[in-house]
Amino acid sequence: MIIFGVVGYKNSGKTGLMERLVSDLTGRGLTVSTVKHAHHHFDLDQEGKDSYRHRTAGAGQVLLSSATRWALMSELRGAPEPPLSNLLTRLDPVDLVLVEGFKRDSHPKIEAHRAATRQPLIAPGDPTIRAVASDSALDLDRPLFHLDATREIADFILRETGL
C-alpha cells in the first residue's frame, strides 16, 4: 500500500490541502483513501442512537451499515492507540492512502505551513518531510510549493510515490 502524509500544526491548512488533493487525485482516476489522526477525544455517534447505545453498553466494536455506507467503530477501552501500520491493514486496497497527521511515523510527508500560526517549521529536523506547502516564501533545503498549488503538489506526490 502506498502512503503519503500531510503534517503541520493546528490551523496550518492540512485538512484543506488533504481535501483538495483527494479531489485532484480522484479526478485523475486514482483511488484514494484517507487516514486522519485526532489528538483529542472524538465521537462519531450521537447520544441516543442505537449504535451509541451498543457502544456505551460495552461493545468492543460496533459495525453500522446502510445502503449507502458502513462504518466500523472500535473502542480501545484503555488499550494503547494502535500504530498507523495496524490501522492501514483495515483499509481496502487503493492506489494511494493520504495520511493527515501521524507526523512521527516514517512515511514520506509534505508539511502544510501558514505564517499566521507563528509555528516553527517541522521540516528542518525531519527527513521524512519531502516538501513544504506554505503561504509564504521560505528558505528550505527541499521543494517549496504555495499552499494553494494543489495540482503541483499532487504531481510531486505522484512522482515521489511512483504513481
Side-chain angles (χ1 to χ4, degrees), residues 127-149:
T128 67
I129 297 176
R130 305 288 169 83
V132 174
S134 180
D135 61 357
S136 59
L138 301 167
D139 184 24
L140 296 170
D141 62 350
R142 61 201 80 194
L144 174 65
F145 298 94
H146 189 277
L147 191 54
D148 294 328

Side-chain angles (χ1 to χ4, degrees), residues 92-109:
D92 292 337
V94 292
D95 296 319
L96 179 65
V97 177
L98 290 174
V99 177
E100 183 177 342
F102 291 94
K103 67 182 166 208
R104 288 176 178 76
D105 283 67
S106 62
H107 59 279
K109 306 166 191 75

